[in-house]
Amino acid sequence: PGNLGALARCAEAAGADGLIIAGGSARPFTPKALRGSMGSLLRLPVFEIDDLGAAVTELEDRGVLQCAAATRGGTLLDGFQFGDRAVVWLTGETGAVHEELERVSPITIPMAGEVESLNVTVAGALMLFAAARGPR
């Protein structure tokens, strides 16, 4: 819940139009999530969905670019071409990609040293602000 709240805050700060929360995720309107969001969860439109695969398909059909954070093997974030409309999918910190997200563009944040991964909020903030810059 704390990470979800912080991600909502980052999304609002980056200029996101809304937040999509798939089933099995933290609940957005719990005290811990609301506290972490500093009010962002009350200002951003929040869409709670039960079927992630259906949402991915509908966004594809609408021509929305979709990407998902990938610990390894994706296009490097600094080289990824975001469109005017993009959805940035984030999952838990295990590094596992949901089956429904295997068909969206994986993005990897380059890291130095022996760091294996970033906290989901940190990774999400980097991706959201990169997406906010739009096409390059």
Side-chain angles (χ1 to χ4, degrees), residues 28-85:
F29 300 108
T30 62
K32 191 171 185 179
L34 287 167
R35 189 170 44 253
S37 82
M38 297 295 291
S40 292
L41 282 167
L42 301 174
R43 291 185 294 269
L44 273 178
V46 176
F47 304 93
E48 294 186 78
I49 59 170
D50 292 322
D51 189 338
L52 179 57
V56 169
T57 299
E58 183 171 335
L59 290 164
E60 280 175 346
D61 291 347
R62 293 175 183 237
V64 177
L65 174 74
Q66 298 178 75
C67 60
T71 305
R72 287 171 193 60
T75 301
L76 295 182
L77 178 60
D78 54 1
F80 189 80
Q81 297 297 310
F82 286 95
D84 290 326
R85 299 183 318 154

Side-chain angles (χ1 to χ4, degrees), residues 97-120:
V97 176
H98 288 265
E99 176 182 318
E100 297 91 338
L101 296 177
E102 289 179 354
R103 64 184 196 246
V104 306
S105 301
I107 298 180
T108 299
I109 298 168
M111 295 177 282
E114 295 183 35
V115 175
E116 290 184 18
S117 66
L118 296 172
N119 166 279
V120 68

